[in-house]
Amino acid sequence: AYERSAAGIPVTVLEKSDHVGGMASSMQVGDWTVDHGPHRFHTRNRELMDHYRLILDGDTHVRHRLSRIHMKGKFFNYPLKASNVLANLPPHILVKALIDYAVIRTRNRFRPIPDDNFRNWVPKRFGKTIAELFFVTYTEKAWGVPATEISADWASQRITLLNLWDTVKKSLRPREGGAKNRTLITQFEYPASGRGIGTISENYAKRITAQGGRILTGAAVKELRVENGRVTTVIHDGEGGPLRPDLVVNTAPLPKLIEYMRPVAPREVMDSIGEMTYVAIHFVYLEVDRPKLTDDHWIYLPEKHLTIHRISEMKNFDPTMGPPDKTVICCEITCPPDGEIWNWTAEQAAEAAERDLVDAGLLTPGECRPVHTTRLRYAYPIYDLGYREHLRRLLDHVEGIENLHTTGRQGLFRYNNMDHSVAMGRHIAKGVIGKADIEGHAEVAAEDDLFEN
């Protein structure tokens, strides 16, 4: 919308919420600015990075990433570093890990293991012990799905280390400047305004309005009327009545987009919608009576006896997001939409989060208090074993509509990053005004090396 309005093309943005930004929005909670978990902006594309800085009016700073795994009372660097793993794992587990790795690599040479699910993909490259400790257990916990039912696509996109030996080599010879894999990037940029990651979307909104575009908040889409292969009318519950667009760009969840369409999609398309599932997140924000809990931007908690799967500390992204003598921890609890955890009260969620942090040894009883809870229904698209077939069916249906494009994490059912989503939107806009191939937006973030855990 920003690129099109800058080119003088009339634009209307329909936003279901009462604020812009979606999962990359920020909230003001008492004295605190908080995000929906950890967000960061990094790209190797210099033009895209310059664009990010332009939108923020240069109000950004560089952060040196620290993310770790907390397990068995120890901290493990993520991405894995061989020296750190060697120092923290008990000797008998290390020996078992090395034997497992040697055995499975030898077996795979003579009897190749198929990359047909997550359970096969990770042990094949890291050995069973390392795979279970650092990858399989966490993934099953976060998704709530057995690793045998998760597509290997998830592993190839999110784990950019090639294997255990690759981990050792990159620990000994890190290449920050020339590193191709995003997992190895050790710094990123973040807004320095004290308003959180949502500053990006808020600044876009201001610029769009100044350029003559319209942004309607509280305007949920209800219906897309399709005639002769084109969207002719968009019905929404915001101000101004129906829209009759020349072009529609969708960033809502792909299954919802098709449910909005009239006439109703063919039976086989509607059946595939029911197979496209998501993991939701219940967020709990705890204020802690310390200036800082850790130096980490985020910490993974893979142990299954803990309900939380990840925490992040907002002040480590920007120290001006809250008072100097306290800190806020964002606790993420994954769950099925509308399941038991999704329906927890604020008190139930806060009790579980505090109990987990105390059990993990990160907090002492009584030193924190809940300040906010919120939920995100469409957090992670689930790459189960059959998702590709169903996704292709849905995309084929949308691609048959001449003036409709669907993009972004939700619109493509793709777990891409923030910079990818910005690049996708800009690519579509440039395609419309004749400066790029509009269909190329779907190729952004299609390569395995562009993803980040």
Side-chain angles (χ1 to χ4, degrees):
Y2 164 77
E3 296 287 353
R4 283 174 58 80
S5 60
I9 302 170
V11 169
T12 298
V13 178
L14 300 179
E15 170 57 59
K16 179 180 179 179
S17 302
D18 60 1
H19 60 277
V20 297
M23 68 173 64
S25 61
S26 300
M27 300 165 283
Q28 195 65 35
V29 180
D31 295 331
W32 299 96
T33 301
V34 297
D35 298 338
H36 294 88
H39 294 268
R40 64 175 192 154
F41 199 98
H42 183 87
T43 176
R44 295 191 306 273
N45 183 325
R46 182 168 295 181
E47 191 273 338
L48 182 58
M49 183 58 76
D50 288 343
H51 171 77
Y52 160 85
R53 292 166 181 159
L54 170 69
I55 296 301
L56 286 178
D57 300 314
D59 189 22
T60 180
H61 53 192
V62 175
R63 314 308 289 166
H64 294 277
R65 164 184 168 164
L66 177 61
S67 57
R68 294 185 292 177
I69 300 167
H70 185 268
M71 179 174 54
K72 300 184 184 299
K74 302 280 189 178
F75 283 101
F76 297 85
N77 291 94
Y78 193 85
L80 297 179
K81 293 182 179 179
S83 58
N84 175 248
V85 172
L86 288 170
N88 282 340
L89 282 183
H92 70 282
I93 294 181
L94 281 172
V95 171
K96 187 174 186 298
L98 293 172
I99 293 172
D100 283 350
Y101 180 66
V103 167
I104 204 162
R105 296 297 286 181
T106 301
R107 174 192 164 190
N108 189 61
R109 180 174 299 177
F110 295 100
R111 191 173 45 166
I113 301 169
D115 284 335
D116 53 0
N117 62 61
F118 191 93
R119 169 71 69 179
N120 280 350
W121 193 99
V122 184
K124 174 179 173 178
R125 288 159 175 82
F126 294 89
K128 182 178 179 181
T129 300
I130 295 296
E132 289 289 338
L133 282 172
F134 296 107
F135 301 109
V136 174
T137 302
Y138 178 82
T139 300
E140 289 185 336
K141 174 182 175 179
W143 281 32
V145 177
T148 52
E149 297 177 18
I150 298 173
S151 169
D153 291 356
W154 176 260
S156 63
Q157 290 180 355
R158 311 309 294 187
I159 303 172
T160 52
L161 292 167
L162 298 177
N163 51 48
L164 188 58
W165 176 236
D166 186 53
T167 304
V168 173
K169 288 191 298 182
K170 287 173 178 172
S171 297
L172 297 174
R173 290 183 290 138
R175 296 184 300 157
E176 169 60 23
K180 185 178 181 182
N181 290 337
R182 295 172 59 96
T183 307
L184 302 180
I185 299 301
T186 59
Q187 63 184 36
F188 61 93
E189 295 203 15
Y190 187 88
S193 61
R195 293 188 290 131
I197 202 67
T199 309
I200 301 173
S201 297
E202 292 166 5
N203 283 13
Y204 268 129
K206 291 175 185 177
R207 289 171 179 265
I208 291 166
T209 302
Q211 291 167 176
R214 286 197 305 164
I215 298 178
L216 304 180
T217 54
V221 172
K222 297 299 182 183
E223 186 176 312
L224 272 73
R225 294 179 183 169
V226 179
E227 299 176 15
N228 299 319
R230 292 179 60 85
V231 177
T232 59
T233 308
V234 179
I235 309 295
H236 62 92
D237 58 7
E239 297 178 356
L243 301 176
R244 290 174 174 78
D246 297 313
L247 175 79
V248 176
V249 178
N250 170 68
T251 60
L254 179 59
K256 297 299 295 183
L257 168 68
I258 295 176
E259 288 177 355
Y260 297 148
M261 292 181 185
R262 296 294 181 274
V264 175
R267 172 74 177 272
E268 63 271 17
V269 175
M270 298 304 292
D271 287 345
S272 283
I273 286 178
E275 301 298 326
M276 306 289 284
T277 54
Y278 292 80
V279 173
I281 299 179
H282 200 140
F283 297 91
V284 182
Y285 300 86
L286 302 176
E287 183 181 72
V288 182
D289 289 325
R290 300 187 204 177
K292 181 182 285 191
L293 183 65
T294 72
D295 291 323
D296 297 81
H297 294 99
W298 61 93
I299 298 173
Y300 301 103
L301 301 171
E303 294 173 298
K304 290 189 175 181
H305 70 278
L306 303 175
T307 307
I308 300 170
H309 85 276
R310 183 171 64 177
I311 63 173
S312 50
E313 191 162 355
M314 297 292 102
K315 287 173 64 177
N316 291 340
F317 290 83
D318 178 7
T320 67
M321 292 173 75
D325 59 333
K326 294 180 175 61
T327 191
V328 155
I329 307 302
C330 173
C331 307
E332 299 173 64
I333 306 172
T334 52
C335 59
D338 299 315
E340 178 186 358
I341 292 176
W342 174 268
N343 289 310
W344 272 354
T345 64
E347 292 76 16
Q348 288 174 310
E351 286 174 6
E354 180 178 4
R355 182 174 60 249
D356 279 358
L357 295 184
V358 170
D359 286 350
L362 298 173
L363 285 180
T364 58
E367 69 169 326
C368 71
R369 67 193 61 82
V371 292
H372 188 61
T373 60
T374 190
R375 301 171 181 85
L376 191 64
R377 180 177 292 272
Y378 299 101
Y380 300 131
I382 294 183
Y383 288 14
D384 63 22
L385 297 181
Y387 92 98
R388 279 194 178 196
E389 176 186 350
H390 299 295
L391 176 58
R392 186 67 263 163
R393 190 170 290 146
L394 269 58
L395 289 175
D396 284 347
H397 183 70
V398 173
E399 288 166 5
I401 301 171
E402 180 184 356
N403 64 335
L404 174 62
H405 298 277
T406 185
T407 196
R409 175 184 285 204
Q410 307 296 357
L412 287 175
F413 199 78
R414 183 183 298 170
Y415 188 4
N416 59 279
N417 299 311
M418 180 182 299
D419 56 295
H420 299 143
S421 292
V422 172
M424 288 173 179
R426 298 183 72 217
H427 196 106
I428 288 180
K430 291 176 181 179
V432 171
I433 59 181
K435 294 183 179 180
D437 171 18
I438 193 168
E439 301 300 336
H441 74 94
E443 301 307 313
V444 174
E447 300 93 349
D448 290 350
D449 70 299
L450 289 178
F451 291 83
E452 162 66 33
N453 252 352

